[in-house]
Amino acid sequence: MSERMSGRAPDSEPPRGERPYEETPDGPAPEETRGETAADVPGGAHGEAHGGALGSRLNWLRAAVLGANDGIVSTAGLVVGVAGATDDRGALLTAGLAGLLAGSMSMAAGEYVSVSTQRDAEKAALAMEKRELREQPEAELAELAGMLEERGLSREVAREAAQQLTERDALRAHARVELGIDPDELTNPWHAAWASFVAFTVGALLPLLAIVLPSTAWRLGVTVGSVLAALALTGWSSARLGAARARPAVVRNVAGGALAMAVTYGAGALLGAVGV
């Protein structure tokens, strides 16, 4: 907060280190939010502190890891299933490429639709907030002050902070504190679609190359081994990005991939045996 916000009523608690936002009703604020004003932290309406740009980058990175994981599992299951039915390299390559293109396009289209819907919702929320600010400025000022007070500021400082933020940019203040939206950084459906397409493609290339490049005798073993190793890596990466324990995530990922390949190989072997 600026120096103008340091004036407090006699019965209010003094700020720690001139940072009114450092203390919250639940205790000290997280390290990444100390020194920030409440309006600098999205998600204020729900009392959640996010890391802003860092949180956004982590979400994109997590989505990329999960997209690559999907590419690995789905393509591996497909080519291993075909390998159970035939040793023909051309058939394996055709099936793998078809699965890669179908999966990557499906992922991209799904992300585009999903993020477009989210963007439309963000635009609608901003339009509604803009209308409310125009029609009910005093009520919106009181609402903003109340939300800042809920985040740990005294009533007097919250009111002054709300007034200053409103004078500076009322829509931005309400968007970030009330809605958790940065008006300058709305979600981009094209970015999401492209990221999903690339992530899935990169993941799918591993089992595809592993099944077509080695000789027939080594083909299945190389594919299974490389896929399980890649799944262990993506499981570990997703756990680290989510600040969770790595071992359970790795075990789940590897077990799921192994099960998928076992089922599809069994189905392919059965169909190949009966000549289907």
Side-chain angles (χ1 to χ4, degrees):
M1 292 294 179
S2 65
E3 292 180 359
R4 289 178 57 193
M5 299 181 195
S6 60
R8 291 174 173 260
D11 59 341
S12 62
E13 295 182 3
R16 284 182 47 192
E18 298 300 322
R19 295 180 180 179
Y21 187 59
E22 280 196 352
E23 292 290 332
T24 70
D26 298 322
E31 289 291 338
E32 64 269 22
T33 61
R34 292 185 181 180
E36 298 179 350
T37 64
D40 290 329
V41 184
H46 307 288
E48 298 175 352
H50 299 283
L54 176 61
S56 177
R57 287 195 297 270
L58 288 177
N59 285 337
W60 279 106
L61 188 55
R62 185 180 296 111
V65 170
L66 295 178
N69 190 82
D70 287 344
I72 294 170
V73 174
S74 60
T75 306
L78 177 61
V79 296
V80 168
V82 175
T86 179
D87 291 332
D88 183 70
R89 193 185 303 270
L92 292 171
L93 179 60
T94 300
L97 283 176
L100 184 154
L101 292 174
S104 59
M105 293 301 295
S106 175
M107 288 283 290
E111 280 296 309
Y112 180 83
V113 171
S114 175
V115 175
S116 293
T117 301
Q118 179 183 345
R119 185 183 179 91
D120 291 343
E122 290 174 343
K123 286 184 175 180
L126 289 173
M128 179 180 294
E129 196 64 39
K130 187 174 183 179
R131 184 174 64 253
E132 291 175 347
L133 285 168
R134 183 176 62 251
E135 298 174 354
Q136 309 171 56
E138 288 302 320
E140 289 298 300
L141 177 62
E143 181 183 36
L144 180 60
M147 288 185 292
L148 293 176
E149 186 177 353
E150 290 176 358
R151 297 173 74 88
L153 301 181
S154 70
R155 179 172 299 181
E156 293 80 6
V157 173
R159 179 73 182 184
E160 186 175 357
Q163 289 174 338
Q164 290 190 22
L165 291 170
T166 298
E167 291 171 2
R168 182 177 179 182
D169 192 329
L171 180 60
R172 180 185 299 277
H174 279 268
R176 301 189 71 176
V177 177
E178 181 179 351
L179 305 175
I181 298 174
D182 187 338
D184 296 328
E185 295 186 9
L186 297 182
T187 53
N188 189 313
W190 287 108
H191 289 172
W194 177 247
S196 295
F197 179 89
V198 171
F200 188 96
T201 300
V202 170
L205 280 173
L206 173 67
L208 175 58
L209 295 177
I211 202 73
V212 299
L213 293 182
S215 62
T216 303
W218 290 92
R219 183 175 294 159
L220 189 60
V222 169
T223 302
V224 172
S226 59
V227 165
L228 294 182
L231 291 177
L233 178 60
T234 56
W236 179 86
S237 300
S238 61
R240 295 293 295 174
L241 290 172
R245 293 177 56 203
R247 184 173 180 177
V250 170
V251 171
R252 286 194 301 265
N253 228 27
V254 171
L259 178 62
M261 288 187 288
V263 170
T264 55
Y265 181 81
L270 179 61
L271 292 175
V274 299
V276 177

